[in-house]
Amino acid sequence: MIETIRLFDEDSHQTLFEGCVLSCEQDGDLYKITLNQTMFFPEEGGQSCDRGTLNDIPVEKVLEKDRVIYHWVKEPLWEGDTVTGCVDWEKRFSDMQQHTGEHIVSGLIHEYFKLNNVGFHLGSEAVTMDFDGVITREQLRMIEHKANEAVAKNLPVKITWPSREELMEIPYRSKKEIDGPIRIVEIPGYDICACCAPHVHFTGEIGMIRLTGMEKYKGGVRIQMLCGFRALADALEKERNVYDISAQLSAKPYEVAAAVEKLKNENLALKQEMTGMKMDILQEKITALPDNEQNICFFDKHMDKSNMRYAFNLLVEKCSGLCGCFDGDDENGYRYVMGGRDVDVIAAGKAMNEALDGRGGGSKEMFQGSLKAAREQIEEYFANL
């Protein structure tokens, strides 16, 4: 198969082209097309393929194998015909903004911290870069600032095809061994990297670089990045959220963090107060129960994990046999804590689970879990113990 001429190597900003159909094969519901030349960048190196049309037929995917680029479309094209291709410029330009921004960020991280980019993914929304070491949040912000300085300088993005001899003198980055001619992308003073993808002509076209997050990943870090119009869309969405929150909290936009912290503390104080009130009510209810009952099952749908344990401890003092606290309803089932002072708690818990469609576990002091039985069934079970 004849190698495909990669027109995007010559001019990444061109979108219209003509090509001769070399082959057309049916592949399931689609047709796999090869052309003598193409402007469509294939899925490669963590980046999705270009989108667009061939003779107004949408291109579904583009892949490359052995320097031949394949296009998948829903209608056949005839061998020998000349077709007109059109690349979706909005996606192409966004991808170029992201990819060129990645070069700047990766070059800076390599320069300052000697870390290597070992993974890159450019999806339709998220852009991630994986590095083989760790940096701090403060260092991330420093890299972001310097990356945007590179954007502001509007530096040329240089594309060259050095000979093997010339490559020996160039300190370029590369994530893998490359067969055939090596395409070098250089952003003067920031990065020199072997790369096959389309890039902007000048760094000013990137618009803005935002490093939106970082997390530990496989012994290093994964950094999330947005550039250009994606960064602008992200900033506008966050701004909208901030203004919505500020309106709901009656706080100025730059004061929302403090307002949320205040609301959080007030909510915590209310929860603590409510927990205390619940415990007082539970104590009052349990105190009113008869003393020295052999077996007791106590229901209250407002218990949580902490005050259920509190209620259980109170019940143990009043009960000579088996006691259980139950929280829930007949529709959704019941959570429970059960036990007793002179009872084989584990055996009792397993028996109750088997009888009332439950599950759980515990120790000799306490057994806990959940039941799917109705309240009436639970009460009848305890009455017949």
Side-chain angles (χ1 to χ4, degrees):
M1 185 71 73
I2 300 174
E3 290 186 4
T4 309
I5 299 172
R6 300 158 66 96
L7 296 175
F8 47 82
D9 282 343
E10 302 170 16
D11 184 2
S12 61
H13 287 53
Q14 182 182 337
T15 57
L16 289 172
F17 71 98
E18 289 187 343
C20 178
V21 178
L22 301 182
S23 68
C24 175
E25 302 175 5
Q26 189 160 4
D27 185 10
D29 295 333
L30 301 175
Y31 294 87
K32 184 170 69 172
I33 309 295
T34 61
L35 307 172
N36 68 323
Q37 60 181 11
T38 185
M39 186 56 67
F40 282 87
F41 178 72
E43 181 178 325
E44 191 172 353
Q47 179 171 325
S48 61
C49 65
D50 281 325
R51 296 295 184 183
T53 59
L54 292 175
N55 278 2
D56 295 326
I57 304 169
V59 175
E60 304 297 327
K61 65 177 178 178
V62 186
L63 298 175
E64 180 182 21
K65 183 179 180 181
D66 298 329
R67 302 289 294 179
V68 178
I69 296 177
Y70 300 91
H71 313 70
W72 277 263
V73 295
K74 290 184 177 179
E75 298 177 28
L77 297 172
W78 307 111
E79 292 184 14
D81 281 0
T82 297
V83 296
T84 299
C86 181
V87 171
D88 180 338
W89 170 248
E90 185 176 347
K91 182 184 185 302
R92 161 68 69 82
F93 187 62
S94 177
D95 286 350
M96 291 195 300
Q97 287 180 315
Q98 316 311 312
H99 205 134
T100 313
E102 178 269 322
H103 278 267
I104 294 173
V105 172
S106 294
L108 284 167
I109 290 178
H110 183 75
E111 176 187 353
Y112 280 92
F113 308 111
K114 309 306 178 188
L115 303 183
N116 300 302
N117 183 323
V118 293
F120 172 60
H121 176 73
L122 200 173
S124 58
E125 296 181 3
V127 181
T128 60
M129 300 168 286
D130 300 334
F131 293 90
D132 57 359
V134 177
I135 63 174
T136 66
R137 296 283 173 182
E138 292 74 18
Q139 291 168 335
L140 185 72
R141 295 280 77 85
M142 180 272 287
I143 292 295
E144 182 181 62
H145 185 82
K146 289 190 174 295
N148 281 286
E149 285 181 346
V151 172
K153 291 176 181 177
N154 199 29
L155 299 167
V157 180
K158 299 180 179 180
I159 308 295
T160 57
W161 297 85
S163 66
R164 288 289 175 179
E165 293 73 20
E166 290 171 325
L167 282 170
M168 298 295 291
E169 305 298 323
I170 300 175
Y172 67 94
R173 293 186 304 108
S174 177
K175 293 190 286 292
K176 62 180 182 180
E177 291 294 326
I178 302 173
D179 296 325
I182 295 180
R183 182 174 183 261
I184 295 295
V185 178
E186 179 181 2
I187 301 171
Y190 289 89
D191 190 43
I192 304 176
C193 184
C195 187
C196 59
H199 298 76
V200 297
H201 289 164
F202 294 89
T203 59
E205 295 176 75
I206 299 171
M208 174 172 52
I209 296 175
R210 286 284 292 122
L211 303 181
T212 57
M214 180 173 67
E215 60 186 351
K216 291 182 179 180
Y217 183 74
K218 293 185 177 180
V221 291
R222 169 168 285 180
I223 295 173
Q224 293 82 43
M225 179 190 72
L226 294 172
C227 298
F229 291 112
R230 291 196 192 186
L232 177 61
D234 180 70
L236 291 174
E237 178 64 18
K238 289 174 179 174
E239 180 186 79
R240 183 186 67 79
N241 284 325
V242 168
Y243 274 92
D244 285 350
I245 294 169
S246 71
Q248 293 183 48
L249 297 180
S250 299
K252 294 178 180 178
Y254 53 83
E255 295 175 345
V256 293
V260 169
E261 183 67 20
K262 180 183 176 183
L263 186 64
K264 178 183 174 182
N265 291 335
E266 290 174 350
N267 187 47
L268 179 60
L270 286 172
K271 282 185 175 180
Q272 291 172 340
E273 182 180 354
M274 186 176 295
T275 297
M277 293 173 65
K278 284 182 177 179
M279 287 184 172
D280 290 343
I281 293 171
L282 287 172
Q283 184 174 19
E284 185 176 329
K285 287 182 177 180
I286 292 171
T287 301
L289 295 174
D291 293 327
N292 297 319
E293 286 288 310
Q294 184 176 4
N295 302 306
I296 301 175
C297 57
F298 175 78
F299 289 83
D300 193 297
K301 63 182 180 180
H302 300 298
M303 289 188 291
D304 58 25
K305 188 173 182 179
S306 63
N307 54 38
M308 180 179 280
R309 292 283 298 273
Y310 174 74
F312 170 75
N313 291 333
L314 293 176
L315 279 177
V316 170
E317 297 300 318
K318 296 185 71 72
C319 178
S320 61
L322 190 68
C323 61
C325 289
F326 298 88
D327 166 42
D329 54 49
D330 287 3
E331 182 178 354
N332 300 302
Y334 292 88
R335 293 183 302 117
Y336 72 82
V337 175
M338 64 167 291
R341 285 176 290 180
D342 300 313
V343 177
D344 185 343
V345 175
I346 295 177
K350 289 180 177 180
M352 186 175 74
N353 282 341
E354 184 177 348
L356 298 175
D357 192 14
R359 61 180 183 178
S363 64
K364 61 181 181 179
E365 289 84 18
M366 183 182 68
F367 205 93
Q368 56 188 341
S370 61
L371 302 173
K372 293 183 179 179
R375 176 170 177 168
E376 183 178 350
Q377 293 173 291
I378 298 170
E379 290 176 331
E380 183 179 353
Y381 180 83
F382 269 77
N384 293 327
L385 284 174

